[in-house]
Amino acid sequence: MPLLLAIALAASPTVAQMKWERRILIVSAPAADDASLAEQRRILATWKTNAAARDLTIVEVVGDTVRGASDPAAALRRKYRLPTSFTAILVGKDGGEKLRSAKPFPAAALEATIDAMPMRKAGQR
């Protein structure tokens, strides 16, 4: 199993490698049982098709574990100044931070912000 896990982790690109290709929603929580993390996951589960249509990749940083990218948790915490409490950050295709919240993002807020981005508008033409 560790070999398969290593292969699966190696298959994920880093956040930097996704620049210009994907928008990234970084969801950070201190532990897997965090209530805000559960709420953000619930919102995203119902919004999966819309997220895919908007080139959105979800990267979870929970404790020392990262899902959705191959970056180490410590590196993402440093780069995005993630506190120990729940934080959600929307990163544009240009690599810039577009939204930051200490509460889960409602799907409507993600959709409106992404749809207003120049690269999203250009892609819709």
Side-chain angles (χ1 to χ4, degrees):
M1 190 67 168
L3 179 61
L4 288 176
L5 185 63
I7 291 168
L9 291 174
S12 292
T14 64
V15 169
Q17 289 169 331
M18 292 186 236
K19 190 172 180 180
W20 303 117
E21 301 292 322
R22 310 287 304 168
R23 291 175 186 92
I24 301 163
L25 180 63
I26 298 172
V27 180
S28 173
D33 62 358
D34 185 86
S36 294
L37 174 63
E39 175 66 8
Q40 188 70 76
R41 285 175 172 167
R42 189 190 62 69
I43 292 166
L44 293 170
T46 62
W47 198 65
K48 207 170 259 187
T49 305
N50 292 318
R54 288 166 176 79
D55 301 330
L56 185 69
T57 294
I58 312 303
V59 174
E60 285 188 2
V61 183
V62 181
D64 291 330
T65 306
V66 177
R67 286 176 41 197
S70 59
D71 303 80
L76 291 174
R77 287 188 191 289
R78 228 180 359 265
K79 179 171 181 170
Y80 293 100
R81 300 176 324 282
L82 297 172
T84 53
S85 55
F86 177 88
T87 306
I89 302 172
L90 178 63
V91 178
K93 286 187 177 183
D94 64 357
E97 187 176 307
K98 308 302 178 193
L99 281 179
R100 176 183 284 254
S101 178
K103 296 187 192 107
F105 284 124
L110 291 170
E111 198 163 308
T113 303
I114 292 170
D115 289 352
M117 292 178 179
M119 289 183 76
R120 170 74 176 158
K121 287 181 176 173
Q124 289 178 316
R125 284 191 195 121

